Protein backbone atom coordinates (compact mmCIF):
# COMPACT_ATOMS: atom_id res chain seq x y z
CA UNK A 1 0.00 0.00 0.00
CA UNK A 2 1.31 3.44 -0.87
CA UNK A 3 1.83 6.26 1.60
CA UNK A 4 -1.18 8.01 0.10
CA UNK A 5 -3.52 5.02 0.28
CA UNK A 6 -6.94 6.08 1.55
CA UNK A 7 -8.22 4.56 4.75
CA UNK A 8 -11.13 2.21 4.25
CA UNK A 9 -13.62 2.09 7.08
CA UNK A 10 -17.21 1.09 6.45
CA UNK A 11 -20.01 -0.93 7.92
CA UNK A 12 -20.24 -4.45 6.59
CA UNK A 13 -22.53 -4.93 3.62
CA UNK A 14 -21.97 -8.67 3.40
CA UNK A 15 -23.38 -9.34 6.86
CA UNK A 16 -26.81 -8.17 5.67
CA UNK A 17 -26.93 -10.72 2.84
CA UNK A 18 -28.82 -13.90 3.66
CA UNK A 19 -28.54 -16.95 1.43
CA UNK A 20 -32.00 -18.43 1.07
CA UNK A 21 -32.26 -22.02 -0.21
CA UNK A 22 -35.80 -23.15 -0.91
CA UNK A 23 -37.15 -26.70 -0.45
CA UNK A 24 -37.11 -26.91 -4.25
CA UNK A 25 -33.37 -26.15 -4.34
CA UNK A 26 -33.59 -22.58 -5.61
CA UNK A 27 -30.98 -20.23 -4.12
CA UNK A 28 -31.34 -16.48 -3.70
CA UNK A 29 -29.49 -13.71 -1.89
CA UNK A 30 -31.76 -11.65 0.33
CA UNK A 31 -31.27 -8.29 2.03
CA UNK A 32 -34.18 -7.65 4.37
CA UNK A 33 -35.02 -3.97 4.73
CA UNK A 34 -38.23 -2.49 6.08
CA UNK A 35 -37.27 1.17 5.72
CA UNK A 36 -39.78 1.45 2.87
CA UNK A 37 -42.58 -1.03 2.01
CA UNK A 38 -41.00 -2.20 -1.24
CA UNK A 39 -39.67 -5.47 -2.60
CA UNK A 40 -37.16 -5.52 -5.48
CA UNK A 41 -36.11 -8.72 -7.26
CA UNK A 42 -33.52 -9.23 -9.96
CA UNK A 43 -32.72 -12.53 -11.66
CA UNK A 44 -30.45 -13.74 -14.42
CA UNK A 45 -30.35 -16.92 -16.48
CA UNK A 46 -27.15 -18.02 -18.19
CA UNK A 47 -27.60 -17.97 -21.94
CA UNK A 48 -28.60 -14.86 -23.84
CA UNK A 49 -27.83 -13.88 -27.41
CA UNK A 50 -24.79 -16.14 -27.59
CA UNK A 51 -27.30 -19.01 -27.60
CA UNK A 52 -29.17 -17.75 -30.67
CA UNK A 53 -28.93 -20.13 -33.65
CA UNK A 54 -26.31 -18.81 -36.07
CA UNK A 55 -28.94 -18.06 -38.72
CA UNK A 56 -31.43 -16.53 -36.25
CA UNK A 57 -29.72 -13.69 -34.37
CA UNK A 58 -32.04 -11.65 -32.18
CA UNK A 59 -34.04 -14.65 -30.95
CA UNK A 60 -33.17 -14.20 -27.26
CA UNK A 61 -34.00 -10.49 -27.47
CA UNK A 62 -37.34 -11.25 -29.10
CA UNK A 63 -38.11 -13.87 -26.43
CA UNK A 64 -37.31 -11.48 -23.57
CA UNK A 65 -39.41 -8.75 -25.21
CA UNK A 66 -42.44 -11.05 -25.43
CA UNK A 67 -42.56 -12.41 -21.88
CA UNK A 68 -44.84 -9.62 -20.65
CA UNK A 69 -46.94 -9.47 -23.84
CA UNK A 70 -49.68 -11.78 -22.65
CA UNK A 71 -49.48 -14.71 -20.22
CA UNK A 72 -51.85 -17.05 -18.41
CA UNK A 73 -55.39 -15.61 -18.45
CA UNK A 74 -54.22 -12.21 -19.74
CA UNK A 75 -53.75 -11.00 -23.28
CA UNK A 76 -51.01 -8.40 -23.87
CA UNK A 77 -53.19 -5.44 -22.98
CA UNK A 78 -54.65 -7.16 -19.95
CA UNK A 79 -51.23 -8.16 -18.63
CA UNK A 80 -49.95 -4.60 -18.82
CA UNK A 81 -53.15 -3.33 -17.21
CA UNK A 82 -52.69 -5.76 -14.30
CA UNK A 83 -49.15 -4.47 -13.77
CA UNK A 84 -50.07 -0.81 -14.07
CA UNK A 85 -53.07 -0.98 -11.74
CA UNK A 86 -50.82 -2.07 -8.86
CA UNK A 87 -47.82 0.11 -9.84
CA UNK A 88 -45.70 -2.98 -10.38
CA UNK A 89 -42.47 -2.63 -12.37
CA UNK A 90 -41.75 -5.78 -14.35
CA UNK A 91 -39.38 -6.16 -17.28
CA UNK A 92 -37.04 -8.53 -19.10
CA UNK A 93 -33.99 -8.22 -21.32
CA UNK A 94 -31.28 -10.17 -23.09
CA UNK A 95 -27.58 -9.44 -23.47
CA UNK A 96 -24.68 -11.48 -24.80
CA UNK A 97 -24.54 -14.09 -22.05
CA UNK A 98 -27.80 -13.92 -20.12
CA UNK A 99 -31.52 -13.31 -20.04
CA UNK A 100 -32.50 -11.21 -17.06
CA UNK A 101 -35.55 -9.78 -15.39
CA UNK A 102 -36.52 -7.34 -12.69
CA UNK A 103 -39.54 -6.90 -10.44
CA UNK A 104 -40.35 -4.05 -8.08
CA UNK A 105 -43.54 -3.82 -6.07
CA UNK A 106 -45.11 -2.44 -2.95
CA UNK A 107 -44.92 -5.17 -0.33
CA UNK A 108 -48.72 -5.22 0.02
CA UNK A 109 -48.94 -6.22 -3.66
CA UNK A 110 -46.12 -8.76 -3.56
CA UNK A 111 -48.37 -11.83 -3.89
CA UNK A 112 -49.88 -10.52 -7.12
CA UNK A 113 -46.51 -9.30 -8.41
CA UNK A 114 -44.89 -12.71 -7.95
CA UNK A 115 -47.90 -14.34 -9.59
CA UNK A 116 -47.51 -12.11 -12.66
CA UNK A 117 -43.77 -12.82 -12.78
CA UNK A 118 -44.50 -16.55 -12.68
CA UNK A 119 -47.03 -16.28 -15.52
CA UNK A 120 -44.54 -14.35 -17.67
CA UNK A 121 -41.82 -16.94 -17.12
CA UNK A 122 -43.89 -20.12 -17.28
CA UNK A 123 -46.97 -19.32 -19.33
CA UNK A 124 -46.15 -16.46 -21.71
CA UNK A 125 -48.36 -16.93 -24.76
CA UNK A 126 -45.80 -16.02 -27.42
CA UNK A 127 -48.85 -15.69 -29.66
CA UNK A 128 -48.31 -15.15 -33.38
CA UNK A 129 -49.92 -11.65 -33.48
CA UNK A 130 -47.75 -10.53 -30.53
CA UNK A 131 -44.63 -12.05 -32.12
CA UNK A 132 -45.33 -10.14 -35.32
CA UNK A 133 -45.98 -6.88 -33.47
CA UNK A 134 -42.85 -7.01 -31.30
CA UNK A 135 -40.78 -8.20 -34.24
CA UNK A 136 -41.93 -5.13 -36.19
CA UNK A 137 -40.79 -2.94 -33.30
CA UNK A 138 -37.34 -4.52 -33.49
CA UNK A 139 -37.31 -3.98 -37.25
CA UNK A 140 -37.96 -0.27 -36.70
CA UNK A 141 -35.07 -0.09 -34.21
CA UNK A 142 -32.75 -1.92 -36.61
CA UNK A 143 -33.66 0.46 -39.45
CA UNK A 144 -32.76 3.43 -37.24
CA UNK A 145 -29.48 1.75 -36.29
CA UNK A 146 -28.63 1.18 -39.93
CA UNK A 147 -28.10 4.94 -40.29
CA UNK A 148 -26.81 5.73 -36.81
CA UNK A 149 -23.02 6.29 -36.74
CA UNK A 150 -22.59 4.98 -33.17
CA UNK A 151 -24.53 1.81 -33.94
CA UNK A 152 -22.65 1.36 -37.21
CA UNK A 153 -19.27 1.72 -35.48
CA UNK A 154 -20.28 -0.76 -32.79
CA UNK A 155 -21.45 -3.24 -35.45
CA UNK A 156 -18.25 -2.89 -37.46
CA UNK A 157 -16.17 -3.37 -34.30
CA UNK A 158 -18.16 -6.42 -33.19
CA UNK A 159 -17.86 -8.12 -36.57
CA UNK A 160 -14.13 -7.41 -36.86
CA UNK A 161 -13.40 -8.42 -33.25
CA UNK A 162 -15.29 -11.72 -33.27
CA UNK A 163 -15.43 -13.18 -36.79
CA UNK A 164 -17.22 -16.53 -36.86
CA UNK A 165 -18.01 -16.37 -33.13
CA UNK A 166 -21.41 -15.86 -31.43
CA UNK A 167 -20.15 -12.57 -29.99
CA UNK A 168 -19.82 -11.27 -33.52
CA UNK A 169 -23.55 -11.57 -34.12
CA UNK A 170 -26.03 -8.80 -33.27
CA UNK A 171 -27.97 -9.11 -30.01
CA UNK A 172 -31.12 -7.58 -31.53
CA UNK A 173 -30.97 -9.41 -34.84
CA UNK A 174 -30.52 -8.42 -38.47
CA UNK A 175 -32.94 -6.94 -40.96
CA UNK A 176 -32.14 -9.72 -43.41
CA UNK A 177 -33.29 -12.51 -41.08
CA UNK A 178 -35.47 -11.12 -38.29
CA UNK A 179 -38.68 -11.96 -40.15
CA UNK A 180 -37.71 -15.63 -40.03
CA UNK A 181 -37.87 -15.74 -36.22
CA UNK A 182 -40.92 -17.84 -35.43
CA UNK A 183 -43.01 -18.87 -32.45
CA UNK A 184 -41.54 -22.37 -32.74
CA UNK A 185 -38.04 -20.90 -32.48
CA UNK A 186 -39.04 -18.95 -29.36
CA UNK A 187 -40.56 -22.00 -27.67
CA UNK A 188 -37.44 -24.05 -28.40
CA UNK A 189 -35.13 -21.38 -26.98
CA UNK A 190 -37.27 -20.95 -23.86
CA UNK A 191 -37.15 -24.69 -23.26
CA UNK A 192 -33.36 -24.71 -23.59
CA UNK A 193 -32.61 -21.69 -21.38
CA UNK A 194 -35.26 -21.46 -18.66
CA UNK A 195 -33.95 -23.78 -15.95
CA UNK A 196 -32.94 -23.74 -12.30
CA UNK A 197 -29.32 -24.47 -13.23
CA UNK A 198 -27.44 -21.17 -13.55
CA UNK A 199 -30.42 -19.21 -12.21
CA UNK A 200 -29.23 -16.33 -10.01
CA UNK A 201 -31.67 -14.34 -7.89
CA UNK A 202 -31.33 -11.38 -5.53
CA UNK A 203 -34.11 -9.80 -3.49
CA UNK A 204 -34.03 -6.61 -1.44
CA UNK A 205 -36.75 -5.13 0.71
CA UNK A 206 -39.64 -5.80 3.05
CA UNK A 207 -39.81 -9.58 2.90
CA UNK A 208 -38.54 -12.29 5.24
CA UNK A 209 -36.62 -15.42 4.27
CA UNK A 210 -39.50 -17.88 4.77
CA UNK A 211 -41.97 -15.83 2.75
CA UNK A 212 -39.40 -15.37 -0.01
CA UNK A 213 -38.64 -19.09 -0.05
CA UNK A 214 -42.30 -19.93 -0.60
CA UNK A 215 -42.66 -17.37 -3.36
CA UNK A 216 -39.49 -18.46 -5.16
CA UNK A 217 -40.59 -22.09 -5.29
CA UNK A 218 -43.98 -21.00 -6.56
CA UNK A 219 -42.48 -18.65 -9.16
CA UNK A 220 -39.48 -20.59 -10.46
CA UNK A 221 -40.27 -24.13 -9.30
CA UNK A 222 -41.74 -25.20 -12.63
CA UNK A 223 -38.42 -24.59 -14.37
CA UNK A 224 -36.55 -27.69 -15.55
CA UNK A 225 -33.58 -28.68 -13.43
CA UNK A 226 -30.96 -28.33 -16.18
CA UNK A 227 -30.57 -26.02 -19.15
CA UNK A 228 -29.29 -27.06 -22.56
CA UNK A 229 -26.66 -24.51 -23.54
CA UNK A 230 -24.56 -24.52 -26.68
CA UNK A 231 -20.90 -24.28 -25.68
CA UNK A 232 -19.46 -20.84 -26.40
CA UNK A 233 -15.73 -21.06 -27.00
CA UNK A 234 -13.30 -18.74 -25.23
CA UNK A 235 -12.07 -16.06 -27.61
CA UNK A 236 -10.03 -12.88 -27.91
CA UNK A 237 -10.50 -9.56 -29.69
CA UNK A 238 -9.16 -10.26 -33.18
CA UNK A 239 -7.44 -7.83 -35.50
CA UNK A 240 -5.37 -5.78 -33.06
CA UNK A 241 -3.54 -3.15 -35.12
CA UNK A 242 -6.14 -3.14 -37.92
CA UNK A 243 -8.34 -0.23 -38.96
CA UNK A 244 -11.75 -0.62 -40.56
CA UNK A 245 -13.46 2.39 -42.13
CA UNK A 246 -17.17 2.57 -42.96
CA UNK A 247 -17.68 5.50 -45.31
CA UNK A 248 -20.69 7.65 -44.45
CA UNK A 249 -21.27 11.14 -45.78
CA UNK A 250 -21.54 13.01 -42.48
CA UNK A 251 -19.36 15.81 -41.03
CA UNK A 252 -18.17 13.82 -38.01
CA UNK A 253 -16.26 10.57 -37.58
CA UNK A 254 -17.23 8.08 -34.87
CA UNK A 255 -14.35 5.97 -33.58
CA UNK A 256 -14.45 2.65 -31.72
CA UNK A 257 -11.29 1.02 -30.46
CA UNK A 258 -10.39 -1.90 -28.25
CA UNK A 259 -8.33 -4.96 -27.46
CA UNK A 260 -8.50 -8.09 -25.34
CA UNK A 261 -8.76 -7.20 -21.65
CA UNK A 262 -8.21 -8.80 -18.27
CA UNK A 263 -10.62 -11.18 -16.56
CA UNK A 264 -12.08 -10.50 -13.12
CA UNK A 265 -10.26 -13.61 -11.91
CA UNK A 266 -6.84 -12.21 -12.81
CA UNK A 267 -4.76 -11.52 -9.68
CA UNK A 268 -4.08 -8.01 -11.01
CA UNK A 269 -7.73 -7.26 -11.74
CA UNK A 270 -8.21 -4.56 -9.10
CA UNK A 271 -4.99 -2.90 -10.17
CA UNK A 272 -6.34 -2.99 -13.74
CA UNK A 273 -9.58 -1.30 -12.58
CA UNK A 274 -7.52 1.50 -11.04
CA UNK A 275 -5.18 1.73 -14.03
CA UNK A 276 -8.06 1.96 -16.50
CA UNK A 277 -9.83 4.60 -14.44
CA UNK A 278 -6.72 6.75 -14.79
CA UNK A 279 -6.35 5.94 -18.48
CA UNK A 280 -9.87 6.31 -19.83
CA UNK A 281 -12.57 5.51 -17.32
CA UNK A 282 -12.38 8.54 -15.08
CA UNK A 283 -14.35 10.93 -17.27
CA UNK A 284 -12.94 14.45 -16.81
CA UNK A 285 -9.79 13.26 -15.00
CA UNK A 286 -8.71 10.50 -17.40
CA UNK A 287 -5.58 10.65 -19.53
CA UNK A 288 -7.55 10.22 -22.78
CA UNK A 289 -9.93 13.06 -21.89
CA UNK A 290 -7.06 15.35 -20.99
CA UNK A 291 -5.04 14.65 -24.14
CA UNK A 292 -7.88 14.50 -26.69
CA UNK A 293 -10.43 16.95 -25.28
CA UNK A 294 -8.73 19.39 -22.91
CA UNK A 295 -5.39 19.91 -24.63
CA UNK A 296 -6.49 19.68 -28.24
CA UNK A 297 -10.29 20.14 -28.29
CA UNK A 298 -10.72 17.30 -30.74
CA UNK A 299 -13.70 15.53 -29.18
CA UNK A 300 -16.50 16.29 -26.78
CA UNK A 301 -16.05 12.92 -25.10
CA UNK A 302 -13.56 10.09 -25.22
CA UNK A 303 -13.39 7.10 -22.92
CA UNK A 304 -12.16 3.55 -22.40
CA UNK A 305 -13.87 1.00 -20.20
CA UNK A 306 -13.55 -2.60 -19.09
CA UNK A 307 -16.18 -4.92 -20.50
CA UNK A 308 -16.26 -8.64 -19.79
CA UNK A 309 -18.29 -11.19 -21.70
CA UNK A 310 -18.30 -14.69 -20.22
CA UNK A 311 -15.72 -15.85 -22.76
CA UNK A 312 -13.79 -12.65 -23.51
CA UNK A 313 -12.70 -9.72 -21.36
CA UNK A 314 -12.25 -6.48 -23.28
CA UNK A 315 -10.99 -2.95 -23.09
CA UNK A 316 -13.26 -0.91 -25.35
CA UNK A 317 -13.34 2.81 -26.01
CA UNK A 318 -14.94 5.43 -28.21
CA UNK A 319 -14.61 9.00 -29.43
CA UNK A 320 -16.17 11.27 -32.05
CA UNK A 321 -14.56 14.21 -33.85
CA UNK A 322 -14.69 16.27 -37.04
CA UNK A 323 -13.70 14.34 -40.15
CA UNK A 324 -10.67 16.56 -40.73
CA UNK A 325 -9.30 15.80 -37.27
CA UNK A 326 -10.10 12.06 -37.16
CA UNK A 327 -6.63 10.88 -38.11
CA UNK A 328 -5.01 13.23 -35.62
CA UNK A 329 -7.38 12.15 -32.84
CA UNK A 330 -6.66 8.49 -33.49
CA UNK A 331 -2.91 9.12 -33.44
CA UNK A 332 -3.22 10.89 -30.08
CA UNK A 333 -5.22 7.98 -28.66
CA UNK A 334 -2.74 5.40 -29.94
CA UNK A 335 0.24 7.41 -28.69
CA UNK A 336 -1.31 7.72 -25.23
CA UNK A 337 -1.95 3.97 -25.20
CA UNK A 338 1.73 3.32 -25.90
CA UNK A 339 2.94 5.93 -23.41
CA UNK A 340 0.69 4.72 -20.62
CA UNK A 341 1.60 1.08 -21.24
CA UNK A 342 5.30 1.96 -20.90
CA UNK A 343 5.19 4.55 -18.10
CA UNK A 344 2.02 3.81 -16.17
CA UNK A 345 0.38 6.35 -13.84
CA UNK A 346 1.92 8.87 -11.47
CA UNK A 347 1.60 8.68 -7.69
CA UNK A 348 -0.83 11.60 -7.72
CA UNK A 349 -3.03 10.02 -10.39
CA UNK A 350 -3.07 6.76 -8.45
CA UNK A 351 -4.05 8.47 -5.20
CA UNK A 352 -6.92 10.41 -6.80
CA UNK A 353 -8.20 7.36 -8.69
CA UNK A 354 -8.32 5.19 -5.58
CA UNK A 355 -10.12 7.85 -3.57
CA UNK A 356 -12.73 8.22 -6.30
CA UNK A 357 -13.25 4.48 -6.82
CA UNK A 358 -13.59 3.87 -3.08
CA UNK A 359 -15.78 6.89 -2.40
CA UNK A 360 -18.14 6.32 -5.32
CA UNK A 361 -18.70 2.59 -4.63
CA UNK A 362 -21.54 3.40 -2.21
CA UNK A 363 -23.51 4.96 -5.07
CA UNK A 364 -24.04 1.46 -6.45
CA UNK A 365 -26.13 0.65 -3.38
CA UNK A 366 -28.34 3.71 -2.87
CA UNK A 367 -31.59 2.05 -4.02
CA UNK A 368 -33.06 -1.40 -3.51
CA UNK A 369 -33.00 -2.11 -7.25
CA UNK A 370 -29.33 -1.17 -7.50
CA UNK A 371 -28.48 -3.43 -4.55
CA UNK A 372 -30.35 -6.36 -6.09
CA UNK A 373 -28.63 -5.78 -9.44
CA UNK A 374 -25.19 -5.73 -7.80
CA UNK A 375 -25.93 -8.95 -5.94
CA UNK A 376 -27.02 -10.75 -9.09
CA UNK A 377 -23.91 -9.61 -10.95
CA UNK A 378 -21.71 -10.90 -8.15
CA UNK A 379 -23.40 -14.28 -8.36
CA UNK A 380 -23.04 -14.42 -12.13
CA UNK A 381 -19.34 -13.65 -11.75
CA UNK A 382 -18.95 -16.42 -9.16
CA UNK A 383 -18.20 -14.22 -6.12
CA UNK A 384 -19.44 -14.49 -2.55
CA UNK A 385 -21.13 -11.72 -0.52
CA UNK A 386 -17.77 -11.09 1.18
CA UNK A 387 -16.73 -9.30 -2.04
CA UNK A 388 -18.91 -6.39 -0.92
CA UNK A 389 -16.63 -5.80 2.07
CA UNK A 390 -13.35 -6.75 0.41
CA UNK A 391 -13.60 -4.71 -2.79
CA UNK A 392 -12.62 -1.29 -1.42
CA UNK A 393 -9.74 -2.76 0.56
CA UNK A 394 -8.38 -4.36 -2.60
CA UNK A 395 -8.61 -1.02 -4.42
CA UNK A 396 -6.84 0.74 -1.52
CA UNK A 397 -4.05 -1.86 -1.55
CA UNK A 398 -3.04 -1.13 -5.16
CA UNK A 399 0.43 0.39 -5.11
CA UNK A 400 2.21 2.37 -7.80
CA UNK A 401 4.16 -0.61 -9.11
CA UNK A 402 0.95 -2.65 -9.14
CA UNK A 403 -0.76 0.01 -11.24
CA UNK A 404 2.18 0.27 -13.65
CA UNK A 405 2.20 -3.50 -14.10
CA UNK A 406 -1.56 -3.45 -14.63
CA UNK A 407 -1.32 -0.70 -17.27
CA UNK A 408 1.19 -2.81 -19.16
CA UNK A 409 -0.95 -5.93 -18.82
CA UNK A 410 -4.06 -4.09 -20.03
CA UNK A 411 -2.51 -2.24 -22.97
CA UNK A 412 0.31 -4.63 -23.86
CA UNK A 413 1.98 -3.76 -27.15
CA UNK A 414 -0.38 -0.82 -27.65
CA UNK A 415 -2.10 -2.27 -30.71
CA UNK A 416 -5.81 -1.58 -31.02
CA UNK A 417 -8.58 -2.81 -33.25
CA UNK A 418 -10.14 0.39 -34.65
CA UNK A 419 -13.38 1.00 -36.53
CA UNK A 420 -14.37 4.41 -37.89
CA UNK A 421 -17.64 5.64 -39.40
CA UNK A 422 -17.73 8.87 -41.40
CA UNK A 423 -15.29 10.47 -43.85
CA UNK A 424 -12.14 10.38 -41.74
CA UNK A 425 -9.20 12.38 -43.05
CA UNK A 426 -5.53 11.75 -42.33
CA UNK A 427 -5.98 8.07 -41.52
Amino acid sequence: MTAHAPAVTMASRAEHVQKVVTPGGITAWLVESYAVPLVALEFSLRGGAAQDPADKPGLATLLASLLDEGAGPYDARGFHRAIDELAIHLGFGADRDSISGHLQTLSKNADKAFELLKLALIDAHLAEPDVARVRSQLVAELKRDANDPDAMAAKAFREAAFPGHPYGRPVRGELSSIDTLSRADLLALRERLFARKDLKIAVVGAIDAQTLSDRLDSTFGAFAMANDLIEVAPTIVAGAGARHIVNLDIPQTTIRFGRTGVTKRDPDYFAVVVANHIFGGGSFTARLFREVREKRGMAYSVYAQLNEYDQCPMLIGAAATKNERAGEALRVIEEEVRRYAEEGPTEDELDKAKKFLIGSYALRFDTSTKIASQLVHLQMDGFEPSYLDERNGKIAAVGLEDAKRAAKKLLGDGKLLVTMVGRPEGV
Side-chain angles (χ1 to χ4, degrees):
M1 188 179 294
T2 71
H4 298 92
V8 179
T9 56
M10 54 170 278
S12 172
R13 292 190 179 97
E15 69 179 16
H16 297 293
V17 180
Q18 305 174 55
K19 285 189 178 181
V20 177
V21 182
T22 74
I26 295 168
T27 299
W29 290 8
L30 167 65
V31 176
E32 279 188 64
S33 174
Y34 298 91
V36 291
L38 292 173
V39 176
L41 177 147
E42 299 266 342
F43 76 88
S44 188
L45 292 158
R46 189 77 66 188
Q51 295 296 314
D52 289 343
D55 60 342
K56 294 182 181 293
L59 189 61
T61 294
L62 183 59
L63 175 60
S65 301
L66 279 160
L67 294 178
D68 61 354
E69 296 293 335
Y74 303 100
D75 61 13
R77 189 170 295 177
F79 193 90
H80 286 290
R81 186 183 305 117
I83 291 172
D84 293 342
E85 286 177 349
L86 297 177
I88 295 168
H89 296 276
L90 178 63
F92 306 92
D95 61 18
R96 289 277 165 212
D97 295 303
S98 67
I99 289 180
S100 59
H102 67 270
L103 170 70
Q104 186 179 36
T105 179
L106 291 168
S107 53
K108 67 180 182 180
N109 298 329
D111 285 341
K112 186 64 174 180
F114 275 86
E115 177 191 336
L116 291 168
L117 173 60
K118 174 184 178 179
L119 290 175
L121 294 173
I122 304 302
D123 197 19
H125 296 163
L126 308 180
E128 293 287 3
D130 298 321
V131 172
R133 176 170 49 81
V134 175
R135 194 170 51 207
S136 69
Q137 293 169 359
L138 290 174
V139 167
E141 293 176 12
L142 293 173
K143 286 181 177 179
R144 286 195 298 270
D145 286 351
N147 296 297
D148 178 80
D150 287 335
M152 294 171 70
K155 178 178 185 288
F157 184 89
R158 182 187 70 241
E159 292 174 349
F162 304 114
H165 191 277
Y167 291 162
R169 300 197 289 265
V171 170
R172 290 183 297 152
E174 293 177 330
L175 287 171
S176 61
S177 61
I178 195 166
D179 283 339
T180 70
L181 306 184
S182 69
R183 183 174 189 272
D185 296 326
L186 293 165
L187 291 170
L189 187 66
R190 182 172 68 179
E191 184 175 356
R192 285 178 46 225
L193 300 189
F194 285 25
R196 280 175 268 180
K197 184 178 187 294
D198 296 326
L199 169 64
K200 308 299 181 184
I201 305 170
V203 180
V204 178
I207 188 169
D208 63 75
Q210 183 58 57
T211 303
L212 176 62
S213 176
D214 295 341
R215 286 178 175 153
L216 292 179
D217 269 347
S218 174
T219 302
F220 297 96
F223 277 5
M225 286 298 296
N227 50 25
D228 182 19
L229 300 184
I230 299 168
E231 183 177 357
V232 178
T235 188
I236 62 171
V237 175
R243 297 178 182 179
H244 300 264
I245 298 174
V246 179
N247 286 307
L248 189 66
D249 192 15
I250 53 176
Q252 183 168 274
T253 293
T254 298
I255 304 170
R256 283 288 178 108
F257 58 90
R259 56 181 286 119
T260 304
V262 176
T263 175
K264 290 184 176 73
R265 293 295 179 178
D266 190 287
D268 287 324
Y269 177 73
F270 289 98
V272 167
V273 169
V274 176
N276 182 68
H277 180 84
I278 298 165
F279 172 65
S283 186
F284 302 114
T285 62
R287 289 270 189 104
L288 286 181
F289 187 89
R290 186 171 69 239
E291 295 297 325
V292 177
R293 166 76 190 277
E294 284 190 355
K295 289 186 177 180
R296 297 171 176 86
M298 291 189 292
Y300 181 74
S301 68
V302 57
Y303 67 87
Q305 64 187 26
L306 304 176
N307 187 9
E308 185 168 358
Y309 297 155
D310 281 359
Q311 302 300 334
C312 184
M314 287 189 294
L315 171 73
I316 189 163
T321 188
K322 295 177 181 178
N323 285 335
E324 56 266 29
R325 304 201 72 180
E328 181 186 1
L330 181 58
R331 283 191 291 276
V332 171
I333 291 169
E334 291 177 329
E335 177 55 36
E336 191 56 39
V337 167
R338 287 188 288 269
R339 182 185 302 114
Y340 192 62
E342 288 300 319
E343 300 175 3
T346 65
E347 188 81 47
D348 182 60
E349 287 176 318
L350 176 65
D351 183 50
K352 290 177 179 176
K354 291 197 295 185
K355 285 179 178 176
F356 177 87
L357 290 168
I358 291 169
S360 63
Y361 190 53
L363 298 178
R364 302 185 189 183
F365 304 92
D366 58 0
T367 68
S368 57
T369 53
K370 284 185 181 180
I371 296 170
S373 178
Q374 287 293 312
L375 296 182
V376 164
H377 282 116
L378 285 183
Q379 293 179 71
M380 293 296 283
D381 289 337
F383 293 111
E384 291 295 319
S386 57
Y387 178 98
L388 298 168
D389 294 342
E390 296 166 356
R391 183 265 190 190
N392 278 353
K394 292 182 181 293
I395 295 291
V398 175
L400 187 60
E401 291 306 312
D402 301 325
K404 289 182 176 181
R405 182 176 66 253
K408 182 65 176 177
K409 178 177 284 192
L410 180 63
L411 299 175
D413 60 7
K415 292 182 178 179
L416 302 171
L417 170 64
V418 177
T419 59
M420 309 176 83
V421 175
R423 297 286 188 186
E425 299 178 13
V427 178

